[in-house]
């Protein structure tokens, strides 16, 4: 019998994944001053034991004000590298590749962690736990959010430089994969959309102006993140509002990114508008990944969103909708998701040595 496509290895640049399953980046809001701790070691270590091919660490802030909440992870200073190295070293024992998503939360920053209230309690800038949020223009995310400070050109240069410095630290930590967070209404995403970007300078206006921040970040990050290592960009492929960023904008941008040595487009959606109308369901974002794949030459795509069942995940790869599936909440419910999915697909996979005395099928 042939091996399921989901469990076939893939090599992108010098990174080989043992299967097509990535843990989607998921904020834990459990850091102090951006430092990871034992929670993250156990949380992420479980996915490594569970057989993931790639583990993408949560949105990691490139500056303190780029955090969503004060509990977010950060890599804006060298001291934050040590706990990340600890996580990488432990996880790698079980064979996954290790990735990190670097981010700036923009106008959606300065909130409580979601389990303490989140968006319903945007923290005012003059509260000791909050700070002034920034964005392309003075357009608030919703009625509970601060009106952002409109970034000046010199402040934009600082943001770009922060992404570059964070990428350099990620390389020093030993990550195999780097993702720039350009989705979900955070800073880069809010620059892309005509709904949130009302600028009239070179970073706003038409399509080329609105994508400039992302392109500048990609270019600078690539000066420190070697071409031999895969670089991914996560985008909200559609904004789920009528006058917002659309799928044809994503395809147009994807064609530019693939010529800038971006290897992977991670195809998510939404998050930039509080008026969005999402039509969800199993694999609901997979058509975006497929559209990008069909219209580009060398980009790999990552598909994400309600990939919960073995045969659904297998169909994404076997039917060439995407090259990697990113899985989020299913991993929170079951860190052994890949092992269980392999069982469902009648496929043999390694389990941690310490558990190998159990019948693999019983795991
Ligand atoms: C997320 N998501 C997310 N996305 C992202 O790009 N960066 C992040 O840091 C986070 N953080 C995060 C935290 C938690 C607790 C959840 C549940 C989700 C979105 C996530 O990566 C994924 O795209 C969605 O959850 C959809 O995939 P699933 O969960 O349907 O497999």
């Amino acid at each position: 019998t042939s091996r399921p496509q989901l469990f076939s290895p893939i090599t992108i640049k010098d990174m080989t994944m043992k299967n097509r399953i990535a843990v989607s980046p998921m904020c834990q809001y459990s850091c102090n001053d951006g430092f990871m701790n034992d929670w993250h070691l156990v949380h992420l270590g479980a996915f490594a034991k569970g057989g993931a091919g790639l583990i993408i660490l949560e949105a990691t802030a490139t500056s303190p004000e780029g955090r969503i909440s004060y509990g977010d992870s950060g890599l804006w200073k060298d001291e934050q590298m040590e706990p990340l190295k600890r996580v990488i070293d432990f996880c790698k024992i079980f064979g996954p590749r290790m990735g990190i998503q670097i981010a700036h939360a923009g106008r959606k920053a300065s909130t409580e962690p979601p389990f303490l209230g989140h968006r319903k309690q945007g923290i005012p800038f003059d509260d000791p736990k909050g700070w002034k949020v920034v964005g392309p223009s003075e357009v608030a995310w919703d009625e509970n959010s601060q009106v952002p400070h409109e970034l000046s050109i010199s402040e934009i240069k600082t943001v770009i430089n922060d992404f570059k410095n964070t990428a350099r630290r990620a390389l020093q930590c030993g990550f195999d994969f780097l993702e720039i967070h350009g989705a979900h209404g955070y800073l880069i995403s809010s620059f892309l959309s005509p709904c949130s970007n009302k600028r009239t300078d070179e970073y706003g206006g038409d399509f080329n102006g609105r994508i400039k921040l992302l392109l500048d970040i990609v270019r600078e990050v690539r000066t420190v993140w070697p071409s031999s290592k895969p670089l991914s960009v996560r985008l909200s492929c559609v904004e789920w509002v009528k006058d917002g960023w659309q799928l044809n904008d994503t395809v147009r941008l994807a064609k530019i990114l693939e010529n800038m040595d971006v290897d992977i487009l991670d195809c998510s959606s939404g998050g930039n508008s509080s008026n969005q109308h999402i039509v969800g369901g199993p694999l609901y974002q997979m058509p975006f990944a497929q559209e990008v794949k069909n219209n580009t030459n060398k980009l790999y795509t990552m598909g994400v969103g309600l990939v919960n069942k073995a045969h659904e995940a297998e169909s994404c790869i076997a039917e060439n909708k995407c090259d990697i599936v990113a899985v989020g909440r299913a991993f929170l419910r079951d860190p052994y998701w890949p092992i269980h999915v392999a069982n469902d697909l009648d496929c043999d996979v390694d389990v941690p040595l310490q558990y190998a005395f159990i019948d693999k099928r019983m795991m």
Side-chain angles (χ1 to χ4, degrees):
T1 58
S2 67
R3 218 174 150 71
Q5 294 297 301
L6 188 62
F7 290 93
S8 63
I10 185 170
T11 300
I12 303 176
K13 294 282 181 71
D14 68 4
M15 178 186 83
T16 299
M17 292 167 58
K18 62 182 173 184
N19 59 44
R20 306 303 185 93
I21 302 169
V23 178
S24 206
M26 284 183 284
C27 285
Q28 298 297 295
Y29 310 99
S30 300
C31 291
N32 190 350
D33 190 31
F35 285 80
M36 285 205 166
N37 53 49
D38 287 358
W39 169 258
H40 306 89
L41 181 69
V42 175
H43 163 72
L44 296 160
F47 306 142
K49 286 167 64 193
L54 169 67
I55 301 174
I56 310 172
L57 269 61
E58 63 187 81
T60 301
T62 51
S63 65
E65 59 285 351
R67 291 174 294 177
I68 303 168
S69 81
Y70 50 80
D72 283 30
S73 175
L75 191 47
W76 64 80
K77 51 186 174 185
D78 290 347
E79 295 74 22
Q80 288 159 334
M81 290 165 51
E82 208 47 53
L84 290 175
K85 283 187 192 152
R86 182 168 169 248
V87 167
I88 293 174
D89 289 347
F90 178 77
C91 289
K92 283 208 165 175
I93 294 169
F94 303 95
R97 298 286 92 98
M98 296 302 293
I100 186 167
Q101 186 188 55
I102 61 175
H104 189 302
R107 64 186 184 140
K108 292 175 81 175
S110 189
T111 72
E112 291 286 350
F115 40 76
L116 298 179
H118 204 26
R119 301 231 62 81
K120 294 194 188 84
Q121 289 175 27
I123 302 175
F125 70 92
D126 52 358
D127 184 297
K129 287 191 296 183
W131 57 88
K132 184 69 202 163
V133 308
V134 302
S137 309
E138 291 179 351
V139 183
W141 191 79
D142 74 358
E143 63 279 10
N144 299 314
S145 310
Q146 291 177 38
V147 174
H149 161 70
E150 180 177 317
L151 287 171
S152 69
I153 297 278
S154 81
E155 288 165 339
I156 288 176
K157 303 287 178 209
T158 303
V159 166
I160 296 166
N161 212 37
D162 289 341
F163 270 89
K164 175 183 179 174
N165 287 327
T166 301
R168 177 180 49 75
R169 293 188 192 98
L171 180 70
Q172 283 175 265
C173 288
F175 284 103
D176 308 297
F177 164 107
L178 184 75
E179 178 166 276
I180 296 168
H181 196 347
H184 304 163
Y186 299 113
L187 189 69
I188 294 172
S189 170
S190 68
F191 268 77
L192 296 178
S193 168
C195 303
S196 40
N197 184 343
K198 307 288 180 191
R199 300 177 76 95
T200 52
D201 63 9
E202 57 187 311
Y203 287 96
D206 63 6
F207 176 84
N208 287 319
R210 285 180 278 114
I211 67 171
K212 181 169 165 53
L213 175 64
L214 173 60
L215 300 195
D216 284 1
I217 288 172
V218 166
R219 203 174 295 113
E220 283 304 308
V221 162
R222 259 309 184 199
T223 65
V224 294
W225 184 255
S227 184
S228 57
K229 284 180 180 271
L231 177 64
S232 171
V233 172
R234 177 168 272 202
L235 290 181
S236 285
C237 295
V238 301
E239 213 176 326
W240 300 108
V241 293
K242 209 160 164 261
D243 301 319
W245 180 267
Q246 309 293 347
L247 189 54
N248 62 322
D249 296 314
T250 295
V251 169
R252 195 172 162 196
L253 176 55
K255 288 177 177 171
I256 296 169
L257 292 175
E258 74 172 339
N259 288 318
M260 293 179 72
D261 209 14
V262 168
D263 303 292
I264 302 165
L265 204 77
D266 182 1
C267 299
S268 189
S269 75
N272 194 52
S273 169
S274 49
N275 298 317
Q276 65 187 13
H277 291 289
I278 298 183
V279 185
L283 310 184
Y284 73 109
Q285 294 176 140
M286 217 45 78
F288 309 144
Q290 188 158 27
E291 184 73 5
V292 169
K293 212 170 157 48
N294 290 345
N295 287 286
T296 52
N297 296 318
K298 48 190 182 194
L299 262 188
Y300 293 90
T301 57
M302 187 141 59
V304 63
L306 296 176
V307 183
N308 289 337
K309 300 213 163 77
H311 287 94
E312 289 169 356
E314 170 64 7
S315 77
C316 294
I317 307 298
E319 292 166 26
N320 217 18
K321 292 179 177 149
C322 64
D323 301 288
I324 301 168
V325 290
V327 175
R329 288 161 291 185
F331 263 110
L332 301 184
R333 283 179 223 117
D334 176 12
Y336 297 111
W337 191 82
I339 294 175
H340 293 148
V341 164
N343 287 351
D344 291 346
L345 297 175
D346 226 3
C347 174
D348 260 329
V349 288
D350 287 338
V351 302
L353 200 59
Q354 291 87 342
Y355 300 168
F357 65 91
I358 310 173
D359 181 345
K360 284 181 185 173
R361 310 256 147 194
M362 300 295 284
M363 267 276 309

